[in-house]
Amino acid sequence: MIFKRTADPLPKGRYFRRSLMMILFIACIPGVITGVLLYGWVTVKMEKILQQTHLHQFEQRTVWVGDQLDALELTFSQWAFDPVFDNRLKELDFVFKYKQVHELYRLLLMIQNSNTLIGKVQLYLGEPRAVKMDSERYDFIKDAGEIEKYERLTHQPQTTYWSRSMEGTSMMMVNRLPGGSDDGLGALTVTLDNKQLSNMLQTLSPYNGGTTFLLDEQGKPMLPQAQELGGLQHAVREHMLNLKGNLSSFLMEYEGLTYSVQSGTFRRLGTDWTYVSAVPLNEIVAPIVSVPRIVLLVNGSGLILALILSWVGSLQLYKPFTRLLQMFTLAGASVDAIAPEVSSTPKVLSAAATRSNESVQLDEIKHIEQRWIGVNQERESLQQRLEEQLPLARESLLVQLTLGHLSLSSDHEWKERLAQLGWVLRDEQFIILFANIRPSAVLLYGAKERNRSESQEWISFAATDILNRQLEELPYRAETINYHDMSIALLLAVPPEVQPETPGFRQELSRMAQHWLESVQSEWNVRMTVSISKLTSDASHIPQLVRESRSLLRKRQFSPNMTIIDMNEEAEQDVNEHGVYPLELEQAIISALRSGEQDTALEQFSIFIGTYARSEAPEKHVRQALFQLLARIQHTLLQLGEDPVELFGVGMYEEVLQLHDLDELFLWFRERIVHVCVEEFTGKEEKQIQMAVHQMKEHAEQQYAEALSLDELADLHGIHSYTLSRAFKQAFGQNFVDYLTEVRLHRAKELLESTDVKISEIAEQVGYQPSYFNRLFKKSEGTTPSRYREDIHKHTGHNRGNRSV
């Protein structure tokens, strides 16, 4: 984008006028006092005092000008050591490394705005390709002569030095890059604003008819240039060159006036700049011509000076209000506006700006107050919305953490993530209460699929709400987690002073779990089993506690007696009595079934039943393990939205009871379970992919400005990004990224043809950064967006003209 600095368009209101009048009144007081004193002042003494005052002021102004140049040199020298300007610029690809190039744009703009004397900042790099870059654009240099000029800048013996600009019209300060190194990587240049520099030098001769200019070491004009010097400046320069002595102050005649000339040098980075100031002597000694004239001139000059100083002082005092008004009004957008070829303000914004300006004219303070109230109300509204969404975000993150979906390997990482949720932990220990709800058979198989899902979700929310009410008086941190699969967890962070290792603490948890269980069962016709996990002081073990609790409840969910299980006691007893249930094999079998890998599923099932065969477990234990596996497969089908009864029938468990050996069990599992599941899961996955592809297409067409990436969409649908990309291309003949780009550019062309919206705003509306949008549009259409709009408007106007004829 191309930026320009514009004047402040805001009107001045009552506050500014009142402050201006007050400053004007105060500024006039010295003029009145001066007029009284001039009556009694001796002419000779007055002249001497005026001369000394002039010289003293001149010295102060020269020191000030020197300080300004010193500050500019120091600031610019420090920029050369910015890490952005290191040797990595040799490998910078200006075409594809957009973020790094954008960072260079931002940095060059910061340097340009860091001092009012700076007119232009430019970066030259010789590697990997010769390129020059300013705060607005970059261009690759192809002309060998131009490259040679820039290369000479990088091979000077000084790291920082002054030179003339490439056009020779302005002073330019050069920093070889990288800073502090002898490598000739490139150069960072600052070209001074001649107008600003001239204004600063004019402070050396503030009298009417005075002039100030700069000469280099050879006496050649620096500012203004030789062809721009006036007659007085030529005369003063020639007079100085003809003087044999090095006089810093002398008098000379020019066109009937006597001028007092002062000169000196600024030592600038190893070179000397000679400044020359010529002031008409009559302007200095004018107060002593006559007392009446003195009084008249002093009072008149004092009034004029008071007006100027009052205006300048008021503007300086008004700057904070200007910045505030720019923040709270539409007019503030004009400070850094886009260039005319891409700028166009809609009528609605113009009307809003007009109303805003009218309110500013009345009273700035009142205007800022009203705007601030509006901003504060909006902030409070956003804060309220954030607080409303925070519990949902906290629950979602806890679900991901406790299920192990987020890889946090250490206790420190876990506690940092919990601290983001408002849990600042030190030496707390963690324990999990995990509940599994088993609804009645009528709810599972008697209701329709949608009603069944809604009923199960409602029961989970109701049980969670009951538990939350019980936790209101709990003296330590606790958070309920609803997994939305008829299972609920309670995460407790217990401080050491509670003594969680004692049996009394676990008994207290058992009473709380019993009370929760009874409350849920009294309101709903469900069966709920609750487990109390082991205690851990390492937060990274929380997912393991959840897995152990879920596994134990899954094995005990059909037990007629167990409702509350203490894993310190029951888990060990369960292992001694029934052996260890192969949970990993169960997960491997289900994963193979979902992937359609029939042979893998059968191989894992063979190992599954072989585990019990080798341990010579009783037949009832083998059947119980098989029942548990079948229940898990049915649960997975329910999660996918399928009815297990429709797939397997109602006599599946009776069929298992009629099998006599492991071979029959293997054949039965292959025919009745594996073949059916592989066919169902495979068809389900293909259908899911097709639905995901069409949803991606709708997402690109409807939310093109904030469209998600392919990886984000793949995660959202639970499908690998490669599979999803291949399916999208097979369905629509192009990949997702190309299709999204096509949709965005099509919408951008519609906006260019039918509206006068700024091109930068169109870029943002279709989801691009302005500079990248310009390059992409030109690559696609062969022309820039602004030229495309002009051609469309010209063509439309031409057709209208033909029709009118």
Side-chain angles (χ1 to χ4, degrees):
M1 292 190 300
I2 303 175
F3 294 93
K4 64 178 182 179
R5 188 176 298 276
T6 60
D8 180 13
L10 294 178
K12 304 298 187 295
R14 293 177 181 172
Y15 177 83
F16 177 78
R17 292 191 291 271
R18 288 197 300 265
S19 61
L20 177 61
M21 292 175 61
M22 182 176 296
I23 294 176
L24 179 62
F25 175 75
I26 296 174
C28 288
I29 295 177
V32 176
I33 298 175
T34 303
V36 174
L37 293 177
L38 284 176
Y39 280 99
W41 213 291
V42 180
T43 302
V44 177
K45 188 175 181 180
M46 184 74 170
E47 181 179 359
K48 183 178 180 180
I49 292 174
L50 290 175
Q51 289 282 4
Q52 292 176 349
T53 302
H54 170 68
L55 293 176
H56 180 66
Q57 291 178 348
F58 182 78
E59 292 174 357
Q60 289 181 333
R61 295 188 188 106
T62 56
V63 171
W64 177 80
V65 172
D67 291 342
Q68 296 298 312
L69 294 174
D70 289 339
L72 175 62
E73 292 174 352
L74 178 61
T75 302
F76 183 62
S77 300
Q78 292 174 347
W79 280 112
F81 292 89
D82 193 281
V84 175
F85 300 121
D86 59 14
N87 285 315
R88 289 177 295 181
L89 291 177
K90 294 181 179 180
E91 304 173 358
L92 178 60
D93 189 334
F94 277 77
V95 177
F96 296 100
K97 299 295 185 180
Y98 171 76
K99 290 185 178 180
Q100 290 85 339
V101 173
H102 182 75
E103 179 66 17
L104 285 176
Y105 276 132
R106 185 187 67 81
L107 192 57
L108 292 179
L109 185 61
M110 290 175 59
I111 298 175
Q112 184 170 324
N113 294 332
S114 64
N115 196 296
T116 56
L117 292 176
I118 298 177
K120 183 178 181 181
V121 178
Q122 191 174 64
L123 172 65
Y124 166 75
L125 296 175
E127 296 179 16
R129 293 173 60 184
V131 61
K132 59 181 180 180
M133 178 181 183
D134 56 24
S135 61
E136 300 173 351
R137 57 181 293 167
Y138 69 85
D139 294 300
F140 293 108
I141 307 175
K142 298 181 180 179
D143 183 67
E146 186 177 3
I147 293 177
E148 183 179 356
K149 289 181 181 179
Y150 280 101
E151 284 296 325
R152 284 199 295 268
L153 298 178
T154 66
H155 293 86
Q156 297 297 323
Q158 301 93 342
T159 302
T160 304
Y161 60 92
W162 284 96
S163 177
R164 301 292 289 182
S165 63
M166 292 299 176
E167 300 82 8
T169 59
S170 304
M171 296 304 300
M172 181 176 70
M173 186 162 50
V174 184
N175 249 327
R176 289 194 296 107
L177 298 179
S181 174
D182 294 332
D183 294 339
L185 171 62
L188 182 65
T189 65
V190 163
T191 303
L192 297 188
D193 188 335
N194 286 340
K195 182 178 180 180
Q196 294 292 336
L197 184 58
S198 297
N199 292 338
M200 185 175 69
L201 291 176
Q202 282 302 116
T203 60
L204 300 179
S205 56
Y207 300 94
N208 293 329
T211 184
T212 304
F213 56 94
L214 283 177
L215 302 175
D216 60 13
E217 292 179 329
Q218 289 76 32
K220 296 180 180 180
M222 296 173 58
L223 186 75
Q225 300 183 61
Q227 62 272 22
E228 298 176 354
L229 288 178
L232 174 62
Q233 294 170 333
H234 270 296
V236 173
R237 175 175 174 271
E238 293 296 329
H239 190 85
M240 287 186 61
L241 295 177
N242 293 332
L243 290 175
K244 297 181 180 180
N246 186 15
L247 299 178
S248 60
S249 179
F250 58 90
L251 298 177
M252 65 168 288
E253 297 289 335
Y254 179 76
E255 293 185 354
L257 294 177
T258 302
Y259 286 84
S260 174
V261 181
Q262 284 81 30
S263 64
T265 58
F266 293 128
R267 187 67 177 175
R268 304 259 65 87
L269 300 177
T271 61
D272 291 330
W273 296 0
T274 301
Y275 57 88
V276 182
S277 174
V279 180
L281 190 61
N282 62 338
E283 291 292 331
I284 299 176
V285 299
I288 64 172
V289 175
S290 64
V291 173
R293 187 176 179 183
I294 288 173
V295 175
L296 180 62
L297 291 178
V298 169
N299 285 296
S301 300
L303 181 60
I304 295 174
L305 185 62
L307 289 171
I308 296 174
L309 293 178
S310 299
W311 177 256
V312 174
S314 298
L315 291 178
Q316 294 296 323
L317 295 174
Y318 198 70
K319 282 184 177 180
F321 291 95
T322 302
R323 291 194 293 268
L324 287 175
L325 290 172
Q326 288 173 347
M327 291 173 58
F328 290 113
T329 58
L330 293 174
S334 63
V335 175
D336 288 317
I338 301 178
E341 64 266 21
V342 296
S343 63
S344 178
T345 305
K347 295 181 179 180
V348 175
L349 291 179
S350 299
T354 302
R355 292 192 299 269
S356 178
N357 289 345
E358 291 176 355
S359 63
V360 172
Q361 286 179 339
L362 297 177
D363 194 320
E364 301 93 323
I365 303 297
K366 187 67 175 178
H367 177 78
I368 293 175
E369 179 183 355
Q370 293 174 351
R371 294 286 183 172
W372 179 257
I373 292 174
V375 170
N376 193 47
Q377 290 175 348
E378 184 176 357
R379 181 190 64 81
E380 292 177 354
S381 176
L382 292 176
Q383 181 68 26
Q384 182 179 0
R385 291 172 58 186
L386 177 62
E387 292 176 354
E388 291 174 353
Q389 296 299 323
L390 187 59
L392 297 178
R394 180 167 59 246
E395 180 182 1
S396 176
L397 181 58
L398 282 174
V399 169
Q400 299 297 320
L401 289 172
T402 55
L403 291 179
H405 293 172
L406 297 179
S407 179
L408 301 178
S409 58
S410 67
D411 177 71
H412 177 70
E413 291 177 335
W414 257 87
K415 289 183 177 179
E416 281 187 349
R417 294 305 293 266
L418 291 175
Q420 296 175 4
L421 305 178
W423 282 30
V424 180
L425 304 172
R426 291 183 177 84
D427 301 325
E428 287 82 354
Q429 299 188 53
F430 303 94
I431 192 168
I432 295 286
L433 266 70
F434 195 91
N436 185 47
I437 302 174
R438 182 160 58 90
S440 64
V442 174
L443 178 60
L444 277 176
Y445 303 109
K448 294 183 179 180
E449 176 184 344
R450 180 175 179 181
N451 294 335
R452 179 172 64 247
S453 177
E454 292 177 354
S455 299
Q456 292 179 356
E457 190 71 17
W458 175 250
I459 292 174
S460 296
F461 277 116
T464 305
D465 185 62
I466 292 173
L467 180 58
N468 285 330
R469 289 199 298 268
Q470 291 184 219
L471 298 177
E472 291 178 356
E473 299 181 357
L474 205 64
Y476 39 83
R477 296 183 183 275
E479 187 72 31
T480 56
I481 309 169
N482 187 352
Y483 294 103
H484 304 282
D485 61 351
M486 303 299 286
S487 60
I488 303 168
L490 173 63
L491 175 60
L492 300 173
V494 187
E497 56 268 19
V498 180
Q499 299 180 351
E501 298 86 357
T502 61
F505 175 74
R506 301 190 74 87
Q507 292 174 3
E508 180 184 351
L509 290 182
S510 297
R511 287 192 295 270
M512 183 177 68
Q514 184 65 35
H515 179 61
W516 179 32
L517 185 148
E518 292 174 354
S519 300
V520 173
Q521 291 182 343
S522 64
E523 293 192 22
W524 303 93
N525 185 21
V526 296
R527 179 177 180 81
M528 188 169 74
T529 309
V530 182
S531 69
I532 303 174
S533 74
K534 300 175 183 178
L535 197 67
T536 180
S537 58
D538 191 339
S540 63
H541 293 167
I542 292 177
Q544 179 64 27
L545 296 181
V546 174
R547 285 193 294 269
E548 292 176 356
S549 300
R550 186 182 289 272
S551 174
L552 180 61
L553 289 187
R554 189 186 305 158
K555 290 184 291 184
R556 298 297 183 88
Q557 64 178 341
F558 295 104
S559 176
N561 299 320
M562 302 298 292
T563 55
I564 298 178
I565 304 174
D566 190 334
M567 293 184 65
N568 279 351
E569 302 172 358
E570 299 294 337
E572 183 176 356
Q573 180 181 355
D574 183 67
V575 171
N576 295 333
E577 292 180 356
H578 302 287
V580 178
Y581 179 77
L583 181 61
E584 294 79 7
L585 292 175
E586 174 198 278
Q587 295 174 348
I589 293 171
I590 293 176
S591 177
L593 290 175
R594 295 192 62 173
S595 303
E597 301 173 359
Q598 179 174 328
D599 295 337
T600 303
L602 291 174
E603 180 182 353
Q604 296 297 325
F605 179 72
S606 178
I607 300 173
F608 181 88
I609 60 177
T611 301
Y612 288 91
R614 288 191 299 272
S615 62
E616 298 181 356
E619 182 180 350
K620 67 175 183 177
H621 290 173
V622 179
R623 296 187 189 277
Q624 289 176 356
L626 182 58
F627 289 159
Q628 175 69 19
L629 176 61
L630 294 176
R632 183 58 178 167
I633 294 173
Q634 288 179 315
H635 179 72
T636 303
L637 283 169
L638 283 173
Q639 289 181 324
L640 293 175
E642 297 295 336
D643 191 348
V645 177
E646 294 180 3
L647 294 175
F648 303 125
V650 296
M652 181 173 57
Y653 292 97
E654 288 76 4
E655 293 176 14
V656 173
L657 295 175
Q658 296 176 8
L659 301 175
H660 300 292
D661 55 35
L662 296 180
D663 293 336
E664 290 183 359
L665 184 62
F666 181 83
L667 294 174
W668 178 88
F669 187 79
R670 183 183 65 183
E671 300 297 331
R672 290 285 283 117
I673 304 300
V674 175
H675 288 172
V676 175
C677 288
V678 168
E679 181 179 353
E680 180 63 26
F681 284 139
T682 303
K684 189 74 174 179
E685 184 177 5
E686 293 178 356
K687 183 178 180 181
Q688 182 183 6
I689 291 175
Q690 292 301 320
M691 291 179 62
V693 165
H694 287 281
Q695 290 175 2
M696 288 171 60
K697 183 174 181 293
E698 293 179 359
H699 176 75
E701 294 173 349
Q702 298 174 6
Q703 303 181 29
Y704 50 85
E706 300 176 354
L708 301 176
S709 66
L710 178 64
D711 291 336
E712 291 173 329
L713 289 171
D715 294 339
L716 182 64
H717 293 287
I719 303 173
H720 194 275
S721 58
Y722 173 77
T723 303
L724 200 58
S725 177
R726 183 177 60 183
F728 190 92
K729 189 170 184 179
Q730 290 175 351
F732 303 109
Q734 59 185 148
N735 59 43
F736 174 72
V737 176
D738 292 339
Y739 183 79
L740 177 60
T741 302
E742 181 180 299
V743 171
R744 287 174 168 176
L745 291 179
H746 178 72
R747 177 55 180 162
K749 288 191 290 184
E750 290 180 349
L751 293 173
L752 288 171
E753 295 170 4
S754 60
T755 70
D756 292 330
V757 178
K758 296 179 182 179
I759 292 180
S760 61
E761 295 178 1
I762 291 177
E764 294 176 356
Q765 288 182 22
V766 298
Y768 290 124
Q769 292 289 339
S771 57
Y772 180 71
F773 170 71
N774 289 336
R775 293 199 301 270
L776 186 64
F777 191 93
K778 186 174 182 180
K779 180 179 179 181
S780 174
E781 303 299 325
T783 184
T784 62
S786 57
R787 181 59 60 85
Y788 178 85
R789 171 179 276 172
E790 292 176 0
D791 293 342
I792 290 295
H793 289 178
K794 289 179 182 178
H795 179 72
T796 304
H798 178 70
N799 289 343
R800 291 174 180 173
N802 290 339
R803 287 196 295 269
S804 64
V805 173

